[in-house]
Amino acid sequence: MPHSYFHVAAHIIFTTKNRNPWLNQEVRTRLFEYITGIIRNVQGKVIQMNGTEDHVHILALLPKDMGISDFIRTIKANSSKWMHETYEGEFHWQIGYGIFSVSKSNIPQVKEYIQNQEEHHKKIDYQEEFNKFLIAHGYPVINDHNS
């Protein structure tokens, strides 16, 4: 086969350190534009991004020439640096993250889920939400996502 074909979609979730509410609406708007640029620069593609004051959800097509941990590290390191330069604060991302594969047929549902984050979090907090993702993917529930 003369060409390589690559289509890997993932739902990525990560939080601010200690889930501090640093991401107000204005900050999120600017931050999401910046993160979109980071992902584009490494040949990935954002399908949908949203979040709340303390966490981010990204539905993206992953870049074919970069490992997952390098991809996440690039997003978090560059966006954290940008936050420090733009807002001068003690901003940090939590060390960990969740990344879950999304089949092409499920992209519309995940996109809609991410679009409705603020409404969704009126009913369920971040910890409960993240634990549902862990359970759905065969991981044990965690009591505190601050570690």
Side-chain angles (χ1 to χ4, degrees):
M1 184 179 328
H3 299 288
S4 297
Y5 300 96
F6 189 89
H7 184 278
V8 177
H11 183 175
I12 303 159
I13 307 166
F14 51 88
T15 67
T16 58
K17 186 164 186 164
N18 299 319
R19 290 199 291 278
N20 287 325
W22 281 311
L23 308 177
N24 65 40
Q25 186 60 54
E26 177 204 338
V27 171
R28 280 197 306 270
T29 298
R30 295 185 66 200
L31 176 64
F32 293 169
E33 289 172 2
Y34 193 81
I35 290 174
T36 297
I38 294 167
I39 293 171
R40 191 179 314 119
N41 285 340
V42 296
Q43 310 309 307
K45 179 182 178 189
V46 172
I47 298 169
Q48 184 66 49
M49 188 179 330
N50 202 357
T52 65
E53 292 185 341
D54 66 356
H55 73 281
V56 174
H57 289 259
I58 305 169
L59 175 59
L61 296 177
L62 303 183
K64 70 176 184 166
D65 295 325
M66 182 179 254
I68 290 170
S69 60
D70 289 336
F71 178 63
I72 300 296
R73 186 174 26 260
T74 298
I75 294 168
K76 290 171 73 175
N78 286 291
S79 62
S80 182
K81 181 177 186 271
W82 179 83
M83 286 287 289
H84 287 199
E85 292 170 353
T86 305
Y87 293 101
E88 295 183 39
E90 291 298 316
F91 178 84
H92 298 281
W93 292 116
Q94 196 78 329
I95 292 171
Y97 59 88
I99 183 165
F100 305 98
S101 62
V102 178
S103 68
K104 189 167 182 159
S105 62
N106 282 333
I107 286 175
Q109 291 90 341
V110 175
K111 183 177 177 180
E112 182 177 347
Y113 176 82
I114 292 172
Q115 284 174 337
N116 295 318
Q117 275 298 292
E118 288 162 349
E119 190 63 34
H120 178 71
H121 282 289
K122 290 179 182 175
K123 301 173 191 157
I124 183 174
D125 70 10
Y126 169 79
Q127 188 63 57
E128 190 176 348
E129 174 190 48
F130 196 76
N131 279 333
K132 285 184 176 192
F133 278 100
L134 292 176
I135 291 166
H137 291 87
Y139 288 98
V141 170
I142 54 176
N143 293 323
D144 185 5
H145 194 61
N146 280 338
S147 55

